[in-house]
PDB file of all heavy atoms in Angstrom:
ATOM      1  N   ASP A 166     -24.789   4.577   6.410  1.00  0.00           N
ATOM      2  CA  ASP A 166     -25.301   5.093   7.719  1.00  0.00           C
ATOM      3  C   ASP A 166     -26.347   6.156   7.544  1.00  0.00           C
ATOM      4  O   ASP A 166     -26.721   6.833   8.514  1.00  0.00           O
ATOM      5  CB  ASP A 166     -24.152   5.680   8.519  1.00  0.00           C
ATOM      6  CG  ASP A 166     -23.233   4.515   8.975  1.00  0.00           C
ATOM      7  OD1 ASP A 166     -23.622   3.385   9.002  1.00  0.00           O
ATOM      8  OD2 ASP A 166     -21.989   4.859   9.236  1.00  0.00           O
ATOM      9  N   THR A 167     -26.740   6.427   6.345  1.00  0.00           N
ATOM     10  CA  THR A 167     -27.858   7.351   6.127  1.00  0.00           C
ATOM     11  C   THR A 167     -29.007   6.747   5.401  1.00  0.00           C
ATOM     12  O   THR A 167     -28.817   5.750   4.665  1.00  0.00           O
ATOM     13  CB  THR A 167     -27.354   8.625   5.303  1.00  0.00           C
ATOM     14  OG1 THR A 167     -26.849   8.115   4.011  1.00  0.00           O
ATOM     15  CG2 THR A 167     -26.283   9.379   6.009  1.00  0.00           C
ATOM     16  N   ALA A 168     -30.269   7.208   5.607  1.00  0.00           N
ATOM     17  CA  ALA A 168     -31.413   6.554   5.036  1.00  0.00           C
ATOM     18  C   ALA A 168     -31.642   6.927   3.565  1.00  0.00           C
ATOM     19  O   ALA A 168     -32.158   6.074   2.816  1.00  0.00           O
ATOM     20  CB  ALA A 168     -32.595   7.012   5.831  1.00  0.00           C
ATOM     21  N   GLN A 169     -31.226   8.138   3.077  1.00  0.00           N
ATOM     22  CA  GLN A 169     -31.639   8.611   1.790  1.00  0.00           C
ATOM     23  C   GLN A 169     -30.519   8.847   0.838  1.00  0.00           C
ATOM     24  O   GLN A 169     -30.739   9.164  -0.295  1.00  0.00           O
ATOM     25  CB  GLN A 169     -32.484   9.835   1.905  1.00  0.00           C
ATOM     26  CG  GLN A 169     -33.914   9.577   2.535  1.00  0.00           C
ATOM     27  CD  GLN A 169     -34.748  10.804   2.558  1.00  0.00           C
ATOM     28  OE1 GLN A 169     -34.416  11.835   3.141  1.00  0.00           O
ATOM     29  NE2 GLN A 169     -35.915  10.712   1.912  1.00  0.00           N
ATOM     30  N   LEU A 170     -29.278   8.784   1.302  1.00  0.00           N
ATOM     31  CA  LEU A 170     -28.079   9.203   0.418  1.00  0.00           C
ATOM     32  C   LEU A 170     -27.620   7.887  -0.309  1.00  0.00           C
ATOM     33  O   LEU A 170     -27.370   6.845   0.332  1.00  0.00           O
ATOM     34  CB  LEU A 170     -27.044   9.768   1.235  1.00  0.00           C
ATOM     35  CG  LEU A 170     -27.376  11.109   1.897  1.00  0.00           C
ATOM     36  CD1 LEU A 170     -26.169  11.646   2.699  1.00  0.00           C
ATOM     37  CD2 LEU A 170     -27.872  12.098   0.903  1.00  0.00           C
ATOM     38  N   PRO A 171     -27.477   7.979  -1.656  1.00  0.00           N
ATOM     39  CA  PRO A 171     -27.153   6.825  -2.457  1.00  0.00           C
ATOM     40  C   PRO A 171     -25.581   6.664  -2.457  1.00  0.00           C
ATOM     41  O   PRO A 171     -24.848   7.565  -2.102  1.00  0.00           O
ATOM     42  CB  PRO A 171     -27.578   7.218  -3.802  1.00  0.00           C
ATOM     43  CG  PRO A 171     -27.435   8.756  -3.862  1.00  0.00           C
ATOM     44  CD  PRO A 171     -27.810   9.277  -2.474  1.00  0.00           C
ATOM     45  N   SER A 172     -25.208   5.428  -2.891  1.00  0.00           N
ATOM     46  CA  SER A 172     -23.726   5.227  -3.178  1.00  0.00           C
ATOM     47  C   SER A 172     -23.439   5.847  -4.531  1.00  0.00           C
ATOM     48  O   SER A 172     -24.254   5.746  -5.482  1.00  0.00           O
ATOM     49  CB  SER A 172     -23.469   3.709  -3.245  1.00  0.00           C
ATOM     50  OG  SER A 172     -22.029   3.556  -3.482  1.00  0.00           O
ATOM     51  N   ILE A 173     -22.381   6.625  -4.625  1.00  0.00           N
ATOM     52  CA  ILE A 173     -22.142   7.387  -5.788  1.00  0.00           C
ATOM     53  C   ILE A 173     -20.787   7.051  -6.347  1.00  0.00           C
ATOM     54  O   ILE A 173     -19.825   6.564  -5.641  1.00  0.00           O
ATOM     55  CB  ILE A 173     -22.188   8.939  -5.545  1.00  0.00           C
ATOM     56  CG1 ILE A 173     -21.307   9.345  -4.313  1.00  0.00           C
ATOM     57  CG2 ILE A 173     -23.677   9.274  -5.197  1.00  0.00           C
ATOM     58  CD1 ILE A 173     -19.970   9.800  -4.680  1.00  0.00           C
ATOM     59  N   PRO A 174     -20.504   7.233  -7.654  1.00  0.00           N
ATOM     60  CA  PRO A 174     -19.229   7.035  -8.242  1.00  0.00           C
ATOM     61  C   PRO A 174     -18.239   8.112  -7.744  1.00  0.00           C
ATOM     62  O   PRO A 174     -18.572   9.209  -7.564  1.00  0.00           O
ATOM     63  CB  PRO A 174     -19.405   7.201  -9.755  1.00  0.00           C
ATOM     64  CG  PRO A 174     -20.659   8.040  -9.885  1.00  0.00           C
ATOM     65  CD  PRO A 174     -21.489   7.654  -8.686  1.00  0.00           C
ATOM     66  N   LEU A 175     -17.015   7.610  -7.458  1.00  0.00           N
ATOM     67  CA  LEU A 175     -15.982   8.540  -6.954  1.00  0.00           C
ATOM     68  C   LEU A 175     -15.316   9.275  -8.125  1.00  0.00           C
ATOM     69  O   LEU A 175     -14.276   8.818  -8.683  1.00  0.00           O
ATOM     70  CB  LEU A 175     -14.873   7.817  -6.078  1.00  0.00           C
ATOM     71  CG  LEU A 175     -15.395   7.374  -4.738  1.00  0.00           C
ATOM     72  CD1 LEU A 175     -14.408   6.427  -4.136  1.00  0.00           C
ATOM     73  CD2 LEU A 175     -15.712   8.535  -3.849  1.00  0.00           C
ATOM     74  N   GLU A 176     -15.918  10.340  -8.451  1.00  0.00           N
ATOM     75  CA  GLU A 176     -15.366  11.202  -9.608  1.00  0.00           C
ATOM     76  C   GLU A 176     -15.730  12.687  -9.319  1.00  0.00           C
ATOM     77  O   GLU A 176     -16.638  12.979  -8.583  1.00  0.00           O
ATOM     78  CB  GLU A 176     -15.900  10.761 -10.948  1.00  0.00           C
ATOM     79  CG  GLU A 176     -17.451  10.755 -11.020  1.00  0.00           C
ATOM     80  CD  GLU A 176     -17.926  10.134 -12.330  1.00  0.00           C
ATOM     81  OE1 GLU A 176     -17.442   8.994 -12.670  1.00  0.00           O
ATOM     82  OE2 GLU A 176     -18.917  10.607 -12.865  1.00  0.00           O
ATOM     83  N   ALA A 177     -14.913  13.541  -9.926  1.00  0.00           N
ATOM     84  CA  ALA A 177     -15.088  14.980  -9.635  1.00  0.00           C
ATOM     85  C   ALA A 177     -16.468  15.482 -10.233  1.00  0.00           C
ATOM     86  O   ALA A 177     -16.817  15.138 -11.421  1.00  0.00           O
ATOM     87  CB  ALA A 177     -13.977  15.795 -10.252  1.00  0.00           C
ATOM     88  N   PRO A 178     -17.187  16.328  -9.469  1.00  0.00           N
ATOM     89  CA  PRO A 178     -18.408  16.877 -10.039  1.00  0.00           C
ATOM     90  C   PRO A 178     -18.003  18.080 -10.927  1.00  0.00           C
ATOM     91  O   PRO A 178     -16.897  18.524 -10.904  1.00  0.00           O
ATOM     92  CB  PRO A 178     -19.134  17.369  -8.748  1.00  0.00           C
ATOM     93  CG  PRO A 178     -18.029  17.775  -7.831  1.00  0.00           C
ATOM     94  CD  PRO A 178     -16.957  16.689  -8.154  1.00  0.00           C
TER      95      PRO A 178
END
Side-chain angles (χ1 to χ4, degrees):
D166 294 339
T167 58
Q169 291 184 300
L170 296 181
S172 181
I173 53 95
L175 287 172
E176 55 190 41

